[in-house]
């Protein structure tokens, strides 16, 4: 069993930056891919990005690649989601999740075994 806890959410102004962190109860470097997902009100949960077991990263869409970064802080067993130039459409609950499947499945929610409870990010205009 792996427990994941997100932190760093909050209410920010348009154009602000925010870093979410995901803390795991076990070491995830070399053992788990950590993915970030988000769910906006009235919408389905969507893949945001992920960092693989050995540090490879991916982000979902062009607009995310321009503004978001996923990274590991190995010494602290944390995974960060850095979000810049936040927009109202980024308002959502952000979840981190752990996956032990191959990298090609990184965008598939069904392959993630463990989930955090989520962190609310609200972008106010």
């Amino acid at each position: 069993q792996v427990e994941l806890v997100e932190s760093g959410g909050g209410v920010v102004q348009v154009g602000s930056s925010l870093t979410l962190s995901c803390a795991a109860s076990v070491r995830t470097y070399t053992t788990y891919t950590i993915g970030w997902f988000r769910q906006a009100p009235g919408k389905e949960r969507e893949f945001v990005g992920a960092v693989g077991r050995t540090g490879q990263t991916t982000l979902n869409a062009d607009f995310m690649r321009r503004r978001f970064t996923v990274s590991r802080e190995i010494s602290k067993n944390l995974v960060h989601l850095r979000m810049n130039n936040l927009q109202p459409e980024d308002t959502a609950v952000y979840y981190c999740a752990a996956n032990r499947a191959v990298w090609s499945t990184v965008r598939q929610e069904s392959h993630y075994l463990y989930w955090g409870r989520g962190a609310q990010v609200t972008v106010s205009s």
Side-chain angles (χ1 to χ4, degrees):
Q1 185 74 17
V2 178
E3 294 183 1
L4 301 171
V5 179
E6 303 91 344
S7 61
V11 180
V12 297
Q13 298 294 313
V14 168
S16 298
S17 297
L18 200 63
T19 298
L20 301 180
S21 299
C22 178
S25 59
V26 300
R27 191 185 81 155
T28 60
Y29 181 57
T30 73
T31 56
Y32 287 93
T33 287
I34 301 297
W36 287 96
F37 293 78
R38 70 182 185 182
Q39 188 166 21
K43 295 187 177 181
E44 293 188 352
R45 191 156 55 187
E46 66 173 339
F47 174 73
V48 174
V51 57
R53 285 177 279 186
T54 54
Q56 68 270 46
T57 62
T58 188
L59 287 158
N60 189 16
D62 286 343
F63 76 92
M64 291 182 184
R65 293 186 195 102
R66 287 193 294 268
R67 299 191 291 117
F68 295 1
T69 304
V70 184
S71 63
R72 282 190 188 271
E73 189 173 356
I74 297 171
S75 63
K76 294 184 178 180
N77 197 38
L78 294 173
V79 172
H80 303 295
L81 175 65
R82 173 71 174 179
M83 303 181 289
N84 297 318
N85 190 23
L86 284 161
Q87 301 298 310
E89 54 266 34
D90 296 317
T91 294
V93 178
Y94 286 74
Y95 300 89
C96 66
N99 175 353
R100 297 199 72 167
V102 296
W103 182 245
S104 60
T105 67
V106 66
R107 295 167 183 261
Q108 300 172 30
E109 188 174 324
S110 60
H111 285 274
Y112 285 81
L113 302 173
Y114 306 105
W115 291 80
R117 294 187 175 184
Q120 176 69 48
V121 173
T122 302
V123 184
S124 177
S125 58

